[in-house]
Amino acid sequence: MEMTDHTRGKGRIGPLAVAIALAFAVVAPAARSEVPVRFVRLDGFAAPGSPPELNKVGVLQIGRKNARNILILNPGTSASAAYFAPMAKTVVQQARGWAVWAVERRENLLEDHSVLNEAKEGMASPQEVFDYYLGWLVNPAVTTHFQLIPDASVAYARDWGMQVEIEDLHVVVNLALKQAKRVVVGGHSLGGSITTAYATWDFDGRAGGADLAGLVYIDGGSSPNPISADSASAALLALSTSSPWLSFGGIPAPFAGLFNSTGSLGAILDPNSPSLGQAFPLLPANLKPPVPVTNLAQYGYALDTKTSPPSLIAAQAHLGQLTATPDPVTGLFGWDSTGALTPIQRFADMFSGYSLAHDDGLLSLDGTAWYHPLRLTIDSGAVAEGNANPAQAVLDVHATHGHDLPSSLRILAFGAQLGGQNVLNAATILASQSGIPLDNLSLLDRHQTYAHNDPAGAFPQNDFIDQLVPFLHQLRGTRVPRRS
């Protein structure tokens, strides 16, 4: 299968086409990161019907190569490994002896980063990048552009559910266990459900969590209440005749990913130019500021909690606000970060993967998943804290060890705006089922002050990192689970 020469097609963008279709320009490379960063791709689960070249799982490894303690993080819905990179670098600098690995799911192999990579290396102009990914949608004169993938050519992705994800993650965990004394698995948002699924998954009669020292939940987790078998069957039936991919906020794949990846990169590379997004006819009015703005201000306005529409709650952070007055020379309103939890440039780096290219020489990585398997989201509804239920039989989910996790397991849960107290409750239920002492739990609810993406983006003050680092330090002194 050719990875970057997909069949040409036309696409329509839904009414929530996120306001991140921005321009780009060349800037000087940043200084190299002081934290070692590598990316490896491993042979993953041989999913029936999937092309062999897609049976791969990637790992973004941040920290010392020979680290004896490893935290493995799973991204959430429509997110990918680079999302964790800025936070992971901060954690590794503060948590001695730890490395952070972020999982890059197999669906990201379908992405075409060719011109994004050129932009990161200073070899593509702003107009070339915009036209390649978005401009062609409204300008038929653009004939060299990103190619859509027909759903019919990726029908096998309808089976990329929890079993495929957990088997791929098992490959990553096994690699970590070969070198590390302690391995912790965690995740953000949907990655929290994946974390519970892995810990309670049945691997030949043994729980995945039996080999782990801890679990980390970042505004996500597993509901104790499963979907019904009838609901699971109905979801599979609907999936069989629909796109394999989830529509994020009503935006069909791959456009939600394209908008975020290109927009975040534009906010970094060309922050002060007039916003192309504001002039883009497919950008809905409720995402356009009422005054002329810069690229950076357009990006911030679309995703800050105060101005971003409620339908985009899963994409928001506390980023700041428009400047009170325009620039006296350009007449453009810029972005004011006063009071922001998350610096907007750090937020843009999370989704663009810019620093990975310029600090560490890694290309073709960003923080979004352009193609998120709908089956994975459907299957998450059957995890149910690792308790067998009728929906699991329908969906081939094997998260059944929710009552026999090691009592030594330690659990951290951080609730932000989307999950809040429910995240803490889910962690408490999971611990209680297996007789894990409450002293082993580290619980913190910040739903009133932290948006869904602030735990990964807040800097320099970050309540999640301030909770995580002591948690990891304490784990270094605990007994290590041993394989039987």
Side-chain angles (χ1 to χ4, degrees):
M1 178 179 180
E2 181 63 35
M3 301 309 301
T4 57
D5 186 20
H6 305 307
T7 303
R8 183 176 177 179
K10 293 290 183 180
R12 294 184 60 83
I13 304 175
L16 294 176
V18 187
I20 19 186
L22 307 176
F24 309 94
V26 175
V27 297
R32 289 186 62 82
S33 170
E34 296 179 359
V35 177
V37 180
R38 302 162 302 282
F39 183 80
V40 299
R41 207 174 289 278
L42 312 171
D43 289 334
F45 177 63
S50 294
E53 62 268 26
L54 296 181
N55 288 326
K56 305 285 184 180
V57 58
V59 191
L60 181 61
Q61 302 176 339
I62 298 175
R64 291 176 53 187
K65 191 173 185 179
N66 61 347
R68 297 288 287 155
N69 306 279
I70 296 173
L71 168 62
I72 299 172
L73 292 177
N74 295 279
T77 301
S78 298
S80 56
Y83 173 90
F84 292 116
M87 179 194 76
K89 290 179 181 180
T90 301
V91 170
V92 167
Q93 288 172 330
Q94 296 184 21
R96 182 180 177 183
W98 283 86
V100 178
W101 291 8
V103 176
E104 179 83 346
R105 291 193 286 262
R106 61 175 55 203
E107 56 265 23
N108 297 332
L109 283 166
L110 296 169
E111 299 175 358
D112 171 11
H113 283 254
S114 58
V115 182
L116 290 170
N117 288 343
E118 290 175 3
K120 291 175 181 179
E121 294 184 308
M123 297 189 299
S125 71
Q127 196 64 55
E128 287 171 336
V129 176
F130 181 82
D131 285 347
Y132 184 80
Y133 289 104
L134 294 168
W136 65 275
L137 291 166
V138 296
N139 183 2
V142 178
T143 57
T144 300
H145 57 75
F146 172 80
Q147 304 296 311
L148 296 173
I149 305 174
D151 288 343
S153 70
V154 287
Y156 49 79
R158 292 190 178 97
D159 294 322
W160 286 358
M162 194 62 74
Q163 182 184 28
V164 171
E165 173 61 24
I166 295 304
E167 293 292 350
D168 280 351
L169 179 56
H170 198 40
V171 171
V172 178
V173 173
N174 282 339
L175 178 64
L177 288 169
K178 288 181 180 179
Q179 76 169 65
K181 188 175 182 181
R182 295 172 188 84
V183 175
V184 174
V185 169
H188 174 254
S189 196
L190 177 68
S193 294
I194 293 170
T195 296
T196 296
Y198 183 84
T200 63
W201 203 263
D202 179 53
F203 293 104
D204 297 323
R206 193 165 184 267
D211 297 321
L212 303 178
L215 305 174
V216 172
Y217 296 95
I218 314 169
D219 206 30
S222 171
S223 168
N225 303 312
I227 60 174
S228 68
D230 287 345
S231 295
S233 297
L236 288 186
L237 181 62
L239 178 62
S240 68
T241 57
S242 66
S243 172
W245 314 120
L246 176 141
S247 290
F248 185 84
I251 307 170
F255 291 107
L258 288 177
F259 290 146
N260 205 358
S261 183
T262 58
S264 58
L265 186 59
I268 291 175
L269 296 182
D270 196 18
N272 298 318
S273 291
S275 168
L276 284 184
Q278 203 169 25
F280 192 49
L282 296 181
L283 187 67
N286 66 343
L287 295 179
K288 293 183 179 182
V291 293
V293 297
T294 64
N295 285 329
L296 183 64
Q298 175 67 80
Y299 185 67
Y301 185 91
L303 296 178
D304 181 73
T305 56
K306 295 184 294 298
T307 49
S308 181
S311 55
L312 294 181
I313 187 172
Q316 294 171 1
H318 288 90
L319 303 172
Q321 53 276 320
L322 295 176
T323 56
T325 58
D327 183 274
V329 176
T330 65
L332 299 174
F333 286 77
W335 193 251
D336 176 12
S337 294
T338 302
L341 270 175
T342 295
I344 193 168
Q345 293 290 348
R346 186 177 176 93
F347 192 68
D349 188 24
M350 288 162 52
F351 287 107
S352 68
Y354 177 80
S355 69
L356 294 175
H358 285 267
D359 296 356
D360 308 295
L362 299 178
L363 296 170
S364 298
L365 294 173
D366 66 2
T368 66
W370 305 1
Y371 305 96
H372 179 85
L374 180 56
R375 176 65 185 271
L376 179 57
T377 297
I378 293 171
D379 287 3
S380 68
V383 174
E385 298 281 30
N387 296 306
N389 59 79
Q392 289 195 0
V394 174
L395 298 171
D396 201 22
V397 169
H398 305 285
T400 59
H401 287 278
H403 284 74
D404 56 348
L405 297 176
S407 60
S408 61
L409 197 68
R410 293 178 178 262
I411 301 174
L412 179 151
F414 185 95
Q417 186 177 11
L418 208 57
Q421 184 63 39
N422 289 335
V423 176
L424 280 58
N425 293 343
T428 303
I429 292 170
L430 185 66
S432 176
Q433 290 177 167
S434 292
I436 297 172
L438 291 179
D439 287 346
N440 284 20
L441 273 61
S442 175
L443 309 175
L444 188 61
D445 181 6
R446 289 289 184 269
H447 76 274
Q448 293 184 330
T449 52
Y450 273 60
H452 191 50
N453 295 290
D454 284 325
F459 186 83
Q461 174 58 44
N462 187 313
D463 289 354
F464 167 66
I465 292 177
D466 288 347
Q467 179 192 24
L468 177 64
V469 171
F471 176 81
L472 297 178
H473 282 154
Q474 290 173 358
L475 279 175
R476 290 186 63 190
T478 61
R479 182 176 61 85
V480 182
R482 296 181 180 274
R483 295 195 185 202
S484 57

